[in-house]
Amino acid sequence: MATKTDSFAALIKAKIDKYANKIKKDEVGRVISIGDGIALVSGLEKAMLNELVVFENGTKGMILNLEAETLGIVLLGKYDDIAENSQVSRTGQVVSVPVGDQLLGRVVDAIGQPIDGGKALSSQGAMPIEKIAPGVITRQSVDAPLETGILSIDSMFPIGKGQRELIIGDRQTGKTTVAVDTILNQKGKNVKCVYVAIGQKRSTVVHIHDILEKAGAMEYTTIVSSTAGELPALIYLAPYTGITIAEYWLSKGEDVLIVYDDLSKHAVSYRTISLLLRRPPGREAYPGDVFYLHSRLLERAGRMNKENGNGSITALPIIETQAGDISAYIPTNVISITDGQLFMMTSMFNAGQRPAIDPGLSVSRVGSAAQRGYVKQTASSLKLELAQFAELSAFAQFGSDLDKETKDIIEHGKRIMEMIKQPENSPYSQLQEAVLLFAIKHHYIKWIPLDKITAFKKDLVAHFDKSKLLTELSKAGKFDDKLIEKFNAEFKDFMLEYISAIPDYKAETYGDIKELKK
Ligand code: ATP
Ligand code: MG
């Protein structure tokens, strides 16, 4: 039996060798029809899938369809001067992009060419944009936190390095802001960042670049930009270019954060291309392989083990929903590929609860393994308290008399919601988060009137920033009984002083002030 398979293999091998000899790289074909960013070409009989071709005018294209008589090619540049019968030649190469530290601080287009007016990039060591994702054997589970600096995320839905966390929500609900704030918070943390704008407005990309530039975050960031007016093929390629740039740093054992803003537009560009190439439409007119499109992209993020450099790529894909419908085709696809989602709720956003992360629908499936000790300890009861609050406040709307316990839970919940409000571009450090969470966990916030919480947060953080306790906590890594005692003592002093300075403060409204005395 063995000899039979051997000889069979040899036969196939010989055939393939002979075939390889026949491939001529200098084949020339002719355009049959052109329009909508797609060219049908005949004559390039030996061309490969995803191969780069060059038209007479120098414009490049990529082969996406291989059919018996014709090839379907997506155009990657200007094509008004290409007509029927124009020449097309093969390059024998697939699309590759420049990589390396030269990309830090740069803005490039969907195929890696600079568009920021800066100097040209060296294409030495350029990497092909399609690659098979690393296998399970080369990976390990997440064990280090990726700090977003956003209190509600780091406490309830922590993200680990190498995790893929989806940001999902309707338009204008603060999705981009969460991602950009996370990039800002990587300053000085040795994490390289790639922001991929997929079919965004040009003004949005410029705005994001300004924010990053002003905060000094461009030093460790690359922006890959494809804007709404560009050819669908470029919008389609942008995320692959982004991950390829990230993979270079991964291969050097570094930590990378990549943001795809957003994959809904990516799916739409792929649908456009597929329909123009006359591929059969499926659900919601998307082609059947749209799931594969996103899974092969997101599988390229992950955490490598020691033998494979120990680097990581953390991915924050963004999906835009219509009227909060997370059960549509593309949202369910991407939810099933990622390790959790942050669900941005329109009603919360409009009510001023920003970031509008819905505590009920959001989840992080792996990140808590990597959460810092002191954050984990202080955040442990938060989700439960918010769930109770959500349930009881719905119940309280019936207006019946509530017992004290229920009232306390509701009042506490309202204050937590105030505590986790956070303006944009103002990340907290992990230690500051621990202080805020400590105030929640030990119910110190109950002494503060609801409308004074915003000011209280600021003053509390400022007070503890000066205290030696944070250095101690940072060294210890987590709270022990002694440290909890010290924090409580410090809190009591602070609270007594703080509430005595609030004008017209009626302590009895909030409880017995004796509790605060030692
Ligand atoms: P789009 O659907 O247009 O991409 P988006 O969901 O990405 O929108 P953003 O652009 O991030 O939303 O934010 C929408 C608006 O809300 C912006 O003007 C932004 O400044 C504001 N915003 C976002 N987050 C906050 C926040 N935490 N505090 C205050 N304002 C915020
Ligand atoms: Mg956005």
Side-chain angles (χ1 to χ4, degrees), residues 170-177 195 200 204 208 261-262 265 318 320:
D170 282 0
R171 50 178 295 277
Q172 289 289 304
T173 50
K175 304 182 297 295
T176 302
T177 305
Y195 175 83
Q200 293 286 334
T204 311
I208 289 167
D261 194 2
D262 60 60
K265 297 194 181 70
I318 295 177
E320 183 183 305

Side-chain angles (χ1 to χ4, degrees), residues 30 32 40-45 65-72:
R30 300 237 168 234
I32 299 174
L40 280 186
V41 167
S42 73
L44 297 177
E45 279 174 13
N65 259 20
L66 288 178
E67 283 163 26
E69 303 290 324
T70 55
L71 303 177

Side-chain angles (χ1 to χ4, degrees), residues 183-356:
I183 294 181
L184 292 181
N185 196 44
Q186 302 314 311
K187 190 163 190 171
K189 296 198 169 75
N190 245 334
V191 177
K192 303 249 167 27
C193 300
V194 182
Y195 175 83
V196 187
I198 308 170
Q200 293 286 334
K201 282 181 298 211
R202 193 170 296 245
S203 60
T204 311
V205 183
V206 171
H207 178 63
I208 289 167
H209 178 258
D210 282 351
I211 294 176
L212 296 176
E213 181 83 58
K214 265 196 206 111
M218 280 308 287
E219 282 164 32
Y220 53 87
T221 305
T222 304
I223 295 181
V224 178
S225 160
S226 65
T227 50
E230 287 175 35
L231 290 164
L234 291 172
I235 297 176
Y236 161 72
L237 287 179
Y240 299 104
T241 298
I243 187 79
T244 308
I245 291 169
E247 271 169 353
Y248 169 81
W249 288 312
L250 176 77
S251 73
K252 299 277 173 245
E254 298 192 49
D255 295 317
V256 193
L257 166 70
I258 185 164
V259 175
Y260 303 110
D261 194 2
D262 60 60
L263 289 186
S264 308
K265 297 194 181 70
H266 185 232
V268 168
S269 75
Y270 188 58
R271 175 170 67 183
T272 309
I273 293 171
S274 301
L275 292 174
L276 288 167
L277 287 170
R278 304 197 176 281
R279 292 185 184 170
R283 187 173 156 190
E284 291 177 23
Y286 289 103
D289 62 341
V290 71
F291 183 89
Y292 175 56
L293 184 77
H294 289 152
S295 56
R296 76 171 192 259
L297 176 70
L298 289 168
E299 277 296 314
R300 286 164 76 173
R303 175 95 158 94
M304 308 306 287
N305 62 16
K306 274 224 173 62
E307 296 77 59
N308 289 282
N310 222 4
S312 70
I313 297 180
T314 312
L316 295 179
I318 295 177
I319 286 280
E320 183 183 305
T321 51
Q322 310 291 329
D325 183 10
I326 46 173
S327 59
Y329 188 28
I330 304 299
T332 42
N333 276 357
V334 183
I335 285 174
S336 71
I337 301 166
T338 47
D339 309 304
Q341 73 271 352
L342 302 168
F343 186 73
M344 314 296 285
M345 186 74 132
T346 315
S347 56
M348 284 170 72
F349 187 85
N350 293 340
Q353 181 68 43
R354 303 175 186 184

Side-chain angles (χ1 to χ4, degrees), residues 28-143:
V28 174
R30 300 237 168 234
V31 174
I32 299 174
S33 74
I34 188 156
D36 298 325
I38 304 277
L40 280 186
V41 167
S42 73
L44 297 177
E45 279 174 13
K46 305 286 186 280
M48 310 177 284
L49 196 64
N50 284 343
E51 184 177 338
L52 212 54
V53 294
V54 184
F55 291 84
E56 252 176 49
N57 69 345
T59 293
K60 289 186 176 139
M62 189 173 86
I63 303 178
L64 272 192
N65 259 20
L66 288 178
E67 283 163 26
E69 303 290 324
T70 55
L71 303 177
I73 293 173
V74 288
L75 295 145
L76 303 176
K78 241 171 28 76
Y79 62 92
D80 16 332
D81 46 351
I82 305 175
E84 269 173 45
N85 224 18
S86 294
Q87 277 193 3
V88 194
S89 36
R90 292 182 55 196
T91 61
Q93 289 166 349
V94 290
V95 182
S96 323
V97 294
V99 293
D101 287 346
Q102 54 171 347
L103 277 136
L104 294 175
R106 303 302 302 267
V107 184
V108 297
D109 69 5
I111 43 177
Q113 297 309 309
I115 49 171
D116 51 5
K119 65 174 196 293
L121 295 167
S122 145
S123 58
Q124 213 174 19
M127 284 165 54
I129 63 169
E130 286 281 3
K131 197 186 129 199
I132 294 176
V136 277
I137 305 298
T138 60
R139 301 186 183 218
Q140 69 169 49
S141 48
V142 303
D143 61 356

